[in-house]
Structures are given as C-alpha cells and as structure tokens.
Amino acid sequence: MAAEDVVGWERELAASTDGLGGLFNRPEPRRVFGDFVRALLADVPKKNSWGLAEHAGYATPRPFEHLLDGAVWDADLLRDAVREFVVDRLGSPVGVLVVDDTQALKKGDKSVGVAPQYYGLTGDVANVQTMVMCTYASPAGHAFVDRELYLPEVWTSDPARCRAAGVPTDRQFATKPQLAVAMLTRAVDAGVPFRWVVADSGYGKDARLRGFCHDRGLSYVLAVPKNLALLDARGRPTRPDRLHARLPVGVFERRSCGAGSKGARWYDWAAHAVTVAGEDPASGHAHTLLVRKSTTPRTRDGKTFYDVEYFLAHAPTATGVPDLVAAAGTRWTIEENNGQGKDVLGLDQYQVRKWTPWHRHVTLSMLAQAFLAATRANPGKDPRIQEATS
C-alpha cells in the first residue's frame, strides 16, 4: 500500500495516535508524536528528523529529535500497544509469527550495534546495524509486532562503548535466535493467537530456538541447513540432503505455498517423517522434513540443477502436508514488511546513534505500518488504536 493511500484517513489517524496519549505526561510530546507518525505515512523523500519535521511544518527538527531522545516515554509500552492493535485487527487462530532480521547500512562506529556484519541486500559484509523483527501474519494481513536490536560481541564486550550509546547495563550478548526467543516469549505471554512459528535457516538451525518451541508446545516450520543432524529409521546419523537423495522422483507433488507478487508460488514438495538427533517433539507432535524443489531447472557452469530448500516442521501428528506447505509459504510476509518499512515508512532512515532513540524510531515506524495494515484489512472501517496505556 503506497503512502498516498493515507489521504483521507486524517481523522482515523488522529484518533489512533490520540488513543496512545497516555504514553506521555506532557502535552508537547503527545502532539509531536502524532505529527511524527503522520509524517512517516506521508510522501517524504527522506524520513529522518529533518525531512519529517519539514513536512510537518516545523521550523527545525528539534521537536522530533526531542521526541526520540529527551522526552519521557517508554518505547516498549508502544511496542506492546502496537502488538495488541495488530492482534485486534488481524488476529486469527491460524495466525503465524514470522521472525527474520534486516540491516541498516551506517557510517562510522558510533551508532549502537553497528559493526561489519552480513548485509542481506548485497550478500556481503558491510558496516551495518542488524534488527531482528517479528511479523504477525494472518488471512487478514500482516504487520510487525516486535523488534530487537542485535548487539555483536564487539559491543557487549566493551562496557564503555555500550555506556556511551545508552545500552542498558544489564544487556548481555544474545544471538539473533535468542532475541527471537525473547520476542516469541512476549507473544505467548501476551496471549497472541497463532498456529505457527516460521523463520529462515539462520534461526531454524538453532537448537535452543527449536527447544523453546518444543517446551512450549509450539508448532513451527523452519528452514534448516542441508547438514542438520537427523537420525534415520535405524537410529543412524543422517541429514536432509542425504534423505533427499534417496527419495523417489514420484514422491514430489506440485503445490502452491501461497500467492506472491506475481501470482501463485509453485514448487515441488516432498515430506518425510524424521527424528532430530537429541531432540524430542512436544507431546502429540512429530517432526517432518519438507523438501522444496523449484519447478524448473537452472544451468550454471554447464551443469543443470534445481533450487532446493529444506524445512523442519514440528506439528501435531494429524497435520497434513498442505498445512505445512502453507505455513512455509508465509515467510515472504516479513520480507514484504521489511521492504515496506524501509521504502515507505522510514524504518532504517533514522539519524540516531543511541539505544533509546533507535527503539523509539523503529517502534514508531511499526505503528505506522500497523495503521496501514489495519486500513487495508478493513477498508472504510475506523482503524483507530484504542487506549492501551494509562
């Protein structure tokens, strides 16, 4: 949904931001808060404090800068309000929590969490901040409901550097999957209705994340690497690519895993019951290996091959393959949210360096996206956010 679609929603948007006025104990930041979100939704070329303030009619960016770094309010309370709003508007028993990370390219070494890291846009290492995001997806739509800033060990091992960037003193090193567990824990504790947890192999390969889901009885479809430790029917070590190599050609079935930007996304799928080495599924659940193969081959260096991806599913024993395939297909929703957040809603266009301003800007962008998702899901219906704070 383009930013210009917001035209005509002024009353609903004002009601939504006014409903969160309890975040602030003074009227000035309360008013600036509404103007900030409104500017994020507008057609502003550069959505940092300067660009947003100019659009809002401020003589200087100082009111917006103060909102991000100075005013007294809790970005985690706003995060929780956004999650509640998304669930209220998009919630479904068949909802999916999708976890992935995205990066913001930055200069210098002062911005909190910045370091040479994998940069998904180019596939290379670059000087970036990495944000771990969680999307809630349902048949009604999808939007971010949580976020965590990843701090590499070069940061957490340097207390002075963390202190200068305003990182809380109790913040310890946590891997990206550990941050994902923290977000999933908040969702479960908040009673978010969902059926599946979905993520790429950077998260699926993590035994602690899988163990959390087993302990909580959560169903998942996680992409996994080809060398994930499995056991065959005789208890001997094996792995996804070896199981795949022994599958008969006729076992694959062509299925769509959902609609994409170019229509249905068709792949050839095969499913195989598996045992994960050292891991027991939750009671009443079983593990299944899904093999996804492209429908047409590619040629490189004179060799023809198919693109293959492996997924480990953990689900109630009666779950059918079509349900597993559909869950796997929801991973694209967070890719769309990441793209929309950056291209339309200024998710990565901040010019802040410290911990608190980063969380405030990113959560404000999440609020803007939630408003868009609610309006798309309920055209013509007032999408205001009810008061979630006191």
Side-chain angles (χ1 to χ4, degrees), residues 325-337:
V325 169
T330 60
R331 202 176 73 192
W332 69 271
T333 59
I334 199 166
E335 297 173 4
E336 183 173 287
N337 287 156

Side-chain angles (χ1 to χ4, degrees), residues 197-210:
V197 175
V198 173
D200 69 15
S201 61
Y203 298 86
K205 69 181 181 181
D206 189 85
R208 288 169 294 185
L209 173 57
R210 298 195 304 269

Side-chain angles (χ1 to χ4, degrees), residues 70-87:
V72 178
W73 62 283
D74 191 335
D76 286 350
L77 289 179
L78 177 59
R79 173 204 63 200
D80 294 346
V82 170
R83 182 188 61 229
E84 292 170 11
F85 171 68
V86 171
V87 169

Side-chain angles (χ1 to χ4, degrees), residues 113-117 150-159 161-162 173:
V114 71
Q117 301 172 70
Y150 171 67
L151 291 180
E153 289 186 270
V154 294
W155 274 85
T156 56
S157 63
D158 189 342
R161 189 182 190 189
C162 286
F173 174 74

Side-chain angles (χ1 to χ4, degrees), residues 170-364:
D170 60 350
R171 188 73 176 194
Q172 304 294 318
F173 174 74
T175 65
K176 289 186 279 291
Q178 286 175 322
L179 297 176
V181 167
M183 293 192 291
L184 293 174
T185 299
R186 287 194 286 266
V188 171
D189 291 348
V192 173
F194 67 96
R195 185 181 181 188
W196 300 102
V197 175
V198 173
D200 69 15
S201 61
Y203 298 86
K205 69 181 181 181
D206 189 85
R208 288 169 294 185
L209 173 57
R210 298 195 304 269
F212 167 82
C213 292
H214 301 155
D215 292 343
R216 294 291 188 107
L218 305 180
S219 298
Y220 62 67
V221 178
L222 304 173
V224 292
K226 64 182 181 181
N227 62 348
L228 180 72
L230 303 175
L231 301 176
D232 67 14
R234 297 183 179 182
R236 298 173 300 188
T238 187
R239 41 194 269 179
D241 56 347
R242 293 173 184 166
L243 285 176
H244 174 204
R246 293 198 295 268
L247 291 175
V249 175
V251 77
F252 282 88
E253 296 182 359
R254 187 155 299 179
R255 297 179 182 274
S256 169
C257 59
S261 59
K262 298 180 181 179
R265 292 169 294 141
W266 295 95
Y267 294 94
D268 290 332
W269 298 84
H272 192 287
V274 295
T275 299
V276 183
E279 298 180 25
D280 294 324
S283 177
H285 289 60
H287 284 122
T288 302
L289 178 70
L290 285 178
V291 182
R292 190 189 76 184
K293 186 172 67 172
S294 59
T295 58
T296 56
R298 293 198 293 140
T299 300
R300 185 171 60 202
D301 299 329
K303 297 181 179 180
T304 300
F305 62 94
Y306 289 85
D307 291 323
V308 175
E309 188 166 10
Y310 303 107
F311 299 85
L312 180 68
H314 173 258
T317 52
T319 305
V321 172
D323 286 343
L324 303 181
V325 169
T330 60
R331 202 176 73 192
W332 69 271
T333 59
I334 199 166
E335 297 173 4
E336 183 173 287
N337 287 156
N338 285 330
Q340 181 192 54
K342 292 179 177 181
D343 296 341
V344 179
L345 301 170
L347 181 68
D348 63 342
Q349 295 181 27
Y350 46 82
Q351 290 181 325
V352 297
R353 291 183 172 180
K354 294 186 177 183
W355 179 269
T356 295
W358 184 91
H359 283 81
R360 289 178 174 182
H361 178 99
V362 170
T363 312
L364 286 162

